[in-house]
Amino acid sequence: MTGARGTTLDAFKLDGQICLVTGGAQGIGLAIAHGLRDAGGHVIIADRDTERGQRAADEIGGDFVEMDVTDSVSVEAAFEGVVGRHGRLDVLVNNAGIVKNTAALDTDDASWRALMAVNLDGVFYCCRSAARFMIRQHGGSIVNIASMSGSIANRPQPQASYNASKAAVIHLTRSLAAEWASDGIRVNSLSPGYVGTELTKRGFENAKWREAWINGTPLARLAKPEEIAPGVVFLASRASAFMTGSDLVMDGGYTIW
C-alpha cells in the first residue's frame, strides 16, 4: 500500500528522532530501546544505575543519562542535558517501575510512598519535563508503560499498591493527552500482561502463581520483552498519528476472561 507520503511501513520509521527511555537498562526497557533503535531512532537510556545504563547504551549505540525518576530536580536536569546535547526530544517512553507483592494490611506508609514515587510521581515528572520541550517544538509522542493491572486485580498475588499506581498512570495518560493535544503532543499508554523479565521470573518460581498466571492467559505463556517493543514503536511513530489518550493492551488475552 503506497501513497503520496510513502509506504505504510514508512509510518513506523523513527529515522533521526531523539527517543528517551526511562528504566532502559534492562528488561522491557532495554527491549524497547532496541526496538526504537531498529526503527531508526537515536535512543537515550535513562536510569539511576550508571554502570548498567551505560552498558545498555553502548549495546544499542545510543547515549546514557543518569536519572532518578523520583527526584524532580534529577529529572529536570536530565531532560535539560538531553535537549541541550541533541537540540530536541521527539519520543519519551516512561518505563521505569517497581512492584511489591504485599497485602494491603501489610503495606506500611513508606512502602506505599516508595512505589508511588517511582510508578506514578516519576511518570508525571518525566511527562511534565518532556512536554515543556515538546511544546516549544510543536510536537512529540509520549508512551507510558502501564499494566493490565491498571484495569484488573491480579490473582493470586496481592499487589494493591502496584495495581493502583498503574490505574493512575492510565488515567494520567488520558488527562495529559487532553491537555496537550493542541500542542501536537500525543500521550498514550501501553499495558503489558505477564512478561518474562527477571522480576516476573522470580514470581514464576511460585507454583501456585505460575499456574494461575498461565491458566488465566488464553495464549498460555509469558510474553518475551521483545514482543512488547513493537507496540511502543507503533505508539511512538506516525503509524498511530490519530491516537492519543489510548491504552494499548498487550496481555496475551488475560483481560478478556
Side-chain angles (χ1 to χ4, degrees):
M1 183 179 189
T2 61
R5 297 186 180 181
T7 68
T8 299
L9 289 178
D10 287 339
F12 292 87
K13 292 181 179 179
L14 296 169
D15 292 347
Q17 294 194 35
I18 305 302
C19 311
L20 187 148
V21 182
T22 71
Q26 59 185 322
I28 295 174
L30 181 55
I32 289 169
H34 275 277
L36 296 172
R37 187 275 314 274
D38 292 347
H42 180 82
V43 183
I44 296 99
I45 301 286
D47 208 286
R48 61 183 179 183
D49 186 331
T50 56
E51 182 177 345
R52 185 173 284 175
Q54 186 60 62
R55 188 163 61 244
D58 293 342
E59 180 180 320
I60 64 169
D63 297 323
F64 170 71
V65 62
E66 185 175 359
M67 181 194 294
D68 178 355
V69 299
T70 70
D71 180 350
S72 63
V73 175
S74 171
V75 170
E76 288 282 353
F79 278 87
E80 289 278 358
V82 167
V83 175
R85 179 174 181 178
H86 298 282
R88 60 186 295 111
L89 176 66
D90 301 293
V91 176
L92 165 64
V93 182
N94 282 308
N95 168 76
I98 59 174
V99 63
K100 293 182 184 292
N101 300 124
T102 307
L105 293 180
D106 296 327
T107 302
D108 58 30
D109 294 357
S111 295
W112 173 271
R113 278 304 326 145
L115 184 139
M116 292 297 172
V118 176
N119 290 8
L120 181 56
D121 299 352
V123 171
F124 176 71
Y125 294 156
C126 290
C127 285
R128 183 177 62 185
S129 290
R132 287 172 175 155
F133 295 107
M134 290 178 174
I135 287 170
R136 296 176 200 169
Q137 66 195 34
H138 307 295
S141 179
I142 297 174
V143 183
N144 296 324
I145 304 303
S147 171
M148 68 175 184
S149 303
S151 302
I152 54 97
N154 301 67
R155 59 186 178 90
Q157 74 277 18
Q159 52 183 54
S161 57
Y162 179 80
N163 296 354
S165 73
K166 293 302 186 177
V169 167
I170 293 170
H171 202 60
L172 176 63
T173 296
R174 297 189 186 107
S175 301
L176 298 180
E179 283 195 36
W180 297 335
S182 61
D183 296 301
I185 302 171
R186 297 188 301 109
V187 190
N188 292 289
S189 59
L190 186 148
S191 287
Y194 292 112
V195 182
T197 62
E198 289 305 313
L199 190 63
T200 303
K201 288 176 182 176
R202 287 199 293 271
F204 210 60
E205 293 172 358
N206 182 311
K208 183 179 179 182
W209 293 15
R210 180 172 65 248
E211 182 180 5
W213 295 357
I214 295 302
N215 289 344
T217 303
L219 290 184
R221 64 176 178 86
L222 302 180
K224 300 174 183 177
E226 56 267 29
E227 291 178 308
I228 304 301
V232 176
V233 171
F234 166 65
L235 292 176
S237 69
R238 288 190 299 106
S240 61
F242 201 56
M243 284 180 67
T244 196
S246 295
D247 182 46
L248 177 61
V249 180
M250 301 180 72
D251 65 352
Y254 192 97
T255 57
I256 64 177
W257 281 348

